[in-house]
Amino acid sequence: MNDFIAARSQMALSLGFHIIFSCIGMVMPFFMAVAHYYWLKTDQLVYKNVTKAWSKGVAIFFATGAVSGTVLSFELGLLWPEFMKHAGPIFGMPFSLEGTAFFIEAIALGFFLYGWDKFNKWFHWFTGVIVGVSGLASGILVVAANAWMNSPAGFDFINGQYLNIDPIQAMFNKAWFSQALHMTIAAFVSTGFAVAGVHAFMILKGQNVLFHTKSFTIAAIFGCVAAILQPLSGDISAKDVAIRQPAKLAAMEAHFKTEKSAGLILGGIPDEKSKRVDYAIKLPGFLSFLAHGDFESEVTGLDRIPEENHPPVGIVHYAFQIMVGAGMLMMAISLLYFLALWKKRSWLQSNWLLKMFAIATPLGFIAVEAGWTVTEVGRQPWIIYGIMRTADAVTPMPGIAYSFYLFTAVYVSLAFIVIFMLYRQIKMVGRLYDN
Amino acid sequence: MLYIVIAFLWASILFYLLLGGADYGAGIIELFTSRKNKEVTRKTLYTAIGPIWEANHMWLIIAIVILFVGFPVIYSTMSVYLHIPLTVMLLGIIARGTAFTFRHYDAVVDDMQHIYNTIFAISSFITPLFLGIIAGSAVSGHIDTAANTFLSAYIFSWLSWFSVAVGLFTVAICGFLASVYLIGETDNDGDRLRFAHKAQFFNIAAVLCGILVFAASFLEKIPLFEWVFGNWVGRIAIVSATLSLVWMWNLLYQGKLALLRPLAGFQVTMILLTTTYRHFPNIVILKGGGYLSLMEHSGQEKTIETLGMALLLGSVFILPALFYLIYSFQKNPIDYRQEAH
Ligand code: HDD
Ligand code: HEM
Ligand code: HEM
């Protein structure tokens, strides 16, 4: 494996690992706050148990999220020193604000996890909400930094120099809003479906049904609302990408030839050499509509973009299909669930609905990973879009492949331990909380 | 504004050394505790730092963010030439943070505990060792930006007697801070005596490692002696640290515990002050006499301006909340049995 590929793989691995924990860290506090609120209001013990059980899971996830995030803040320099040398001062604003958000999150978490029966109960509840709010804030900030890589702003690039830096303008670049919105909703979708799925599975197994039903309902409602909103926000993102990164949009859609009234390609196997997509379903005019809101408009294809600036079409196209496919499925499940809640209460007891959720457990996270693949691989070969190439940013140190193997081993083991501990938490629910 | 940013950087490093250091130290103590006493150590540790351990480690993130936003050349130079020790330190951070949490939140108590404990104790030693190595390497003058072999560029930049001695010194300081910290957390004389002995042990270790650091600096022609004793600030700091150490031991033998922590904190602050004061603002010294300076290698003015604003704004929120957190759990400690599992 060459060093450049190793560095990219290590970055992708670390980010792909971290994002799972950060989604959970951002969203679970809100689920807990709802359960906690019901406990304080209704005195039903089951809600206290749900809150406590979740908070233990969150502590595990939070610690893993925090260490993997710490690793990331060093990796940016370890792997991409040339990038950080120039980008640090420009896109640093969100990171410096994020430091505050993390700090507040860590402090509030200390109060929340260790503060049971120690403080005024509403103060204690409130610290839980603060954990969630500051988590969301840090997620939005770090995505703003990523958005800057997609849509550089806040400096003048003159003769290879980065002049007149304005960190505030850099933070509020053109991509930050659509990305932050889409990512925030994605965190709710993925965490909601994952949590609901696990509890649905436990209900199907007939264990601690009351406990798992309450948990399921909270997670499912959050997840489903978000899943219905997500395709709308995805549409905003797509229109945005069409304007600011036509190469990425073309790769997502495997759209090789610039044309008016372009067709939307579903599935298919793109071939970069012959510039064809085999075995695809084509919906005429729909790509123009998706990209620019007009069936007739022209959509830039890869033929307008110099060959050396093409992102890898295959990966981006497949990843995009996976994300959209997962998104559509989850939206359909969500619509069924709300139909059940409002009109067909009997469905709520039925096995097929629960089975559907149990099967959908990983869908949200699959979509998140796929979505980030679209964004990051679709930006290639640029690390700062149009300004700096990824290949020019990489560390001069040889032997990165070993570092990549090492981190892979560490993250794989960590993933196993976390899953193993979660399994044990769930298994112990009966012993700890059944009364 | 640049001075404010530098002050924040220095303060974050200091707080990380004091708070994160005590946190690492607690794990180091575990490594040096006989099997039968380990459980007590662990409980005292958990009651003492459970609620704040996450916050203690945020200081590192703050320092690193300040570095890459405000002083990108320094950040990227260190990232390149100290890649290997940084990576080891990161692995240590991963292992330690997760093991600490896992051992308290694993729903089932079985043999896994033993694994978590071992990982925790070992990584508590490795991480500050490499932090010290990194700090030592930064000023050792071994970083060679003109190097053209792998060994000279990426290995000898940090593998030197001096850097390793600084690493060991850091470990001893962490152990010392933690022992002193934990003395105040005990509820009976037996434990108190045990931690007092530990403090003594690490105090002696720190002095020995200190001597080692000076010896290595002579060997490698690093003018450490001049940095520390060649100016009034250094001399006053060292003398007052020594006096306060004598005072501290006196108080301890009299059983007066209230001032122990501030005094230990004071000593470590003085050590950091002497070692950074003289060659401020040059925080990285390169082979052949070049250096990277906080003044000359800072980002553009606008960047420093907004960074400073962000830090000031942040501290308005963070500091009161952090003090309230520490105060609350000092007044009202957590119950080990109830919270774990
Ligand atoms: C639960 C997760 C999830 C779901 C169901 C969807 N997405 Fe997504 N998508 C993400 C999770 C995600 C993400 C992981 O959060 C990304 C990566 C970067 C970002 O900002 O969001 C993303 C990126 C992303 C981008 C690239 C944005 C950019 O590069 O700036 C586009 C165009 C879309 N999405 C479009 C869609 C559409 C049309 C969907 C229709 C169903 C959709 N997404 C569902
Ligand atoms: C957490 C969500 C994210 C995921 C899953 C993700 C995923 C990826 C992937 C898959 C790559 C490799 C691209 C390739 O090899 O072609 C990559 C590269 C990279 N990403 Fe992201 N990314 C995320 C967010 C971010 C953010 C927020 C930043 C910075 C602020 C960032 C910075 C980078 C950098 C510096 C690279 C290396 C250069 C490159 O290969 O483009 N990423 N990321
Ligand atoms: C889109 C991508 C990302 C999102 C949404 C995100 C979000 C979060 C969240 C919510 C946390 C809190 C920890 C938790 O709850 O588990 C966290 C932790 C952290 N993240 Fe990320 N992050 C992303 C990418 C990154 C990147 C690229 C970096 C580094 C450059 C980074 C650095 C950190 C650090 C240092 C922490 C630890 C903070 C702590 O100790 O609480 N994150 N992240």
Side-chain angles (χ1 to χ4, degrees):
Chain A
M1 181 179 260
N2 81 30
D3 288 326
F4 177 48
I5 299 291
R8 286 170 66 179
S9 311
Q10 183 175 330
M11 194 72 205
L13 171 81
S14 311
L15 286 157
F17 187 81
H18 180 69
I19 191 69
I20 294 179
F21 297 89
S22 45
C23 284
I24 290 169
M26 285 188 278
V27 172
M28 282 308 288
F30 292 101
F31 295 2
M32 289 192 290
V34 172
H36 197 170
Y37 179 84
Y38 278 117
W39 153 242
L40 294 177
K41 278 286 172 197
T42 66
D43 260 349
Q44 289 182 43
L45 199 57
V46 61
Y47 282 114
K48 182 180 184 185
N49 292 342
V50 170
T51 316
K52 281 214 156 189
W54 273 347
S55 71
K56 289 190 180 158
V58 165
I60 295 169
F61 276 94
F62 193 90
T64 318
V67 294
S68 58
T70 308
V71 171
L72 275 173
S73 49
F74 283 90
E75 261 177 346
L76 285 177
L78 290 176
L79 301 173
W80 315 104
E82 199 49 38
F83 164 67
M84 287 309 283
K85 202 193 286 180
H86 302 292
I90 312 174
F91 83 158
M93 189 66 193
F95 284 111
S96 28
L97 294 172
E98 193 195 12
T100 305
F102 282 150
F103 222 127
I104 290 172
E105 191 179 0
I107 293 171
L109 193 77
F111 275 114
F112 180 72
L113 287 181
Y114 297 90
W116 286 93
D117 309 322
K118 281 204 165 45
F119 300 104
N120 172 307
K121 61 183 187 178
W122 286 108
F123 174 76
H124 182 231
W125 177 81
F126 183 65
T127 59
V129 177
I130 296 287
V131 176
V133 172
S134 48
L136 272 190
S138 48
I140 290 172
L141 287 165
V142 76
V143 170
N146 176 269
W148 177 84
M149 296 163 63
N150 284 322
S151 176
F155 62 99
D156 296 320
F157 190 60
I158 300 164
N159 295 332
Q161 304 257 49
Y162 300 72
L163 301 175
N164 304 327
I165 291 174
D166 181 351
I168 309 268
Q169 217 183 326
M171 180 159 101
F172 295 108
N173 56 69
K174 287 207 191 82
W176 88 272
F177 179 74
S178 67
Q179 273 197 244
L181 176 71
H182 198 57
M183 178 67 234
T184 308
I185 300 176
F188 278 91
V189 177
S190 50
T191 310
F193 270 79
V195 174
V198 170
H199 290 293
F201 182 74
M202 296 309 288
I203 302 171
L204 286 169
K205 282 183 59 176
Q207 286 177 0
N208 316 97
V209 173
L210 179 65
F211 175 94
H212 288 298
T213 309
K214 299 286 186 207
S215 318
F216 170 82
T217 311
I218 294 172
I221 288 180
F222 270 104
C224 291
V225 171
I228 291 171
L229 297 176
Q230 185 68 336
L232 301 176
S233 124
D235 183 50
I236 298 177
S237 290
K239 291 194 163 49
D240 207 39
V241 172
I243 299 167
R244 78 180 131 82
Q245 289 174 296
K248 183 189 274 181
L249 187 87
M252 277 155 52
E253 302 291 353
H255 183 57
F256 288 106
K257 225 172 99 242
T258 306
E259 57 190 4
K260 288 215 163 74
S261 176
L264 182 69
I265 290 175
L266 294 182
I269 302 175
D271 180 346
E272 284 180 63
K273 291 235 169 53
S274 64
K275 317 244 175 284
R276 280 201 357 236
V277 187
D278 297 325
Y279 315 110
I281 305 166
K282 202 160 185 180
L283 306 177
F286 271 86
L287 179 56
S288 295
F289 182 70
L290 271 185
H292 301 295
D294 168 6
F295 283 97
E296 299 301 321
S297 65
E298 182 179 272
V299 180
T300 312
L302 285 166
D303 55 351
R304 287 269 177 87
I305 291 147
E307 193 93 31
E308 73 272 14
N309 290 349
H310 283 193
V313 179
I315 301 178
V316 180
H317 180 66
Y318 298 131
F320 186 63
Q321 306 285 311
I322 291 171
M323 168 173 62
V324 175
M328 290 301 168
L329 256 174
M330 287 187 287
M331 185 170 76
I333 295 175
S334 307
L335 291 173
L336 275 176
Y337 182 65
F338 284 121
L339 190 63
L341 273 185
W342 278 308
K343 294 273 182 223
K344 311 262 184 197
R345 304 289 300 192
S346 64
W347 288 3
L348 292 176
Q349 259 72 47
S350 58
N351 276 356
W352 63 264
L353 189 94
L354 291 170
K355 271 191 193 140
M356 213 165 59
F357 273 99
I359 293 170
T361 306
L363 268 189
F365 280 108
I366 292 176
V368 166
E369 299 286 352
W372 277 106
T373 309
V374 172
T375 303
E376 302 294 294
V377 181
R379 188 185 59 237
Q380 300 308 314
W382 303 102
I383 191 165
I384 308 172
Y385 187 68
I387 305 274
M388 183 192 281
R389 285 176 180 271
T390 313
D392 297 332
V394 71
T395 176
M397 190 178 103
I400 298 296
Y402 298 103
S403 151
F404 170 58
Y405 300 141
L406 198 65
F407 276 96
T408 310
V410 169
Y411 282 145
V412 169
S413 341
L414 260 188
F416 273 112
I417 301 179
V418 169
I419 291 170
F420 168 74
M421 294 196 41
L422 222 54
Y423 168 76
R424 299 230 263 201
Q425 294 285 349
I426 294 167
K427 217 175 60 179
M428 291 295 281
V429 163
R431 187 105 56 85
L432 288 175
Y433 303 113
D434 241 15
N435 13 49
Chain B
M1 204 48 125
L2 184 57
Y3 282 101
I4 293 180
V5 172
I6 294 175
F8 268 101
L9 177 63
W10 196 80
S12 328
I13 295 175
L14 176 66
F15 283 132
Y16 189 55
L17 186 62
L18 291 178
L19 302 168
D23 202 313
Y24 287 119
I28 299 170
I29 295 179
E30 241 182 270
L31 200 62
F32 289 96
T33 301
S34 64
R35 176 154 299 185
K36 79 178 197 306
N37 287 328
K38 276 205 162 85
E39 195 52 34
V40 182
T41 309
R42 223 167 269 151
K43 277 183 199 164
T44 319
L45 162 67
Y46 184 76
T47 358
I49 65 171
I52 52 168
W53 85 269
E54 186 90 51
N56 286 346
H57 291 272
M58 290 309 303
W59 296 108
L60 177 64
I61 316 246
I62 304 282
I64 209 71
V65 169
I66 295 179
L67 212 54
F68 79 56
V69 178
F71 311 97
V73 178
I74 299 177
Y75 171 82
S76 54
T77 309
M78 288 180 71
S79 303
V80 171
Y81 294 98
L82 304 176
H83 190 118
I84 294 171
L86 281 166
T87 302
V88 178
M89 181 201 76
L90 286 178
L91 294 173
I93 289 179
I94 299 181
R96 187 175 184 281
T98 48
F100 180 78
T101 309
F102 290 174
R103 73 177 181 183
H104 287 288
Y105 284 98
D106 199 340
V108 184
V109 179
D110 60 8
D111 289 348
M112 284 301 283
Q113 286 292 327
H114 183 67
I115 300 177
Y116 301 142
N117 288 333
T118 313
I119 295 181
F120 177 72
I122 294 177
S123 53
S124 294
F125 182 88
I126 303 271
T127 315
L129 175 68
F130 275 82
L131 273 167
I133 290 183
I134 291 161
S137 313
V139 295
S140 71
H142 291 313
I143 295 179
D144 182 2
T145 47
N148 47 18
T149 65
F150 184 82
L151 282 178
S152 60
Y154 304 110
I155 302 287
F156 297 138
S157 52
W158 58 275
L159 192 60
S160 67
W161 292 112
F162 178 73
S163 303
V164 173
V166 175
L168 291 172
F169 182 66
T170 314
V171 171
I173 295 271
C174 292
F176 173 68
L177 282 171
S179 326
V180 174
Y181 185 77
L182 290 180
I183 292 173
E185 295 288 322
T186 50
D187 52 10
N188 63 66
D189 285 341
D191 288 344
R192 200 161 299 146
L193 200 63
R194 269 187 338 96
F195 286 122
H197 280 303
K198 284 279 175 281
Q200 206 166 19
F201 171 78
F202 283 111
N203 192 343
I204 295 170
V207 172
L208 292 179
C209 293
I211 294 173
L212 214 60
V213 172
F214 275 104
S217 75
F218 282 119
L219 198 70
E220 295 176 4
K221 303 202 172 48
I222 297 161
L224 180 69
F225 197 82
E226 207 272 324
W227 291 342
V228 174
F229 295 104
N231 61 86
W232 278 106
V233 174
R235 270 174 270 178
I236 291 172
I238 290 293
V239 170
S240 58
T242 315
L243 289 179
S244 76
L245 192 67
V246 175
W247 186 22
M248 193 192 91
W249 282 109
N250 236 319
L251 288 176
L252 185 58
Y253 287 124
Q254 292 166 10
K256 293 182 189 150
L257 305 181
L259 278 178
L260 295 189
R261 286 179 194 177
L263 285 176
F266 174 74
Q267 288 142 22
V268 176
T269 310
M270 286 303 117
I271 294 175
L272 189 68
L273 182 67
T274 44
T275 47
T276 49
Y277 174 75
R278 184 52 207 268
H279 55 157
F280 174 83
N282 307 341
I283 63 168
V284 176
I285 299 191
L286 303 169
K287 193 165 193 144
Y291 55 79
L292 299 179
S293 146
L294 288 174
M295 308 299 284
E296 289 160 40
H297 294 91
S298 62
Q300 290 175 22
E301 205 177 308
K302 193 89 179 255
T303 303
I304 298 292
E305 202 76 17
T306 43
L307 176 61
M309 290 312 288
L311 290 168
L312 287 172
L313 185 75
S315 50
V316 172
F317 288 102
I318 291 169
L319 293 179
L322 188 61
F323 284 125
Y324 187 54
L325 178 75
I326 296 173
Y327 166 77
S328 306
F329 285 99
Q330 280 295 326
K331 208 181 68 180
N332 208 342
I334 54 177
D335 179 351
Y336 178 77
R337 280 165 306 275
Q338 191 196 339
E339 295 298 332
H341 319 301

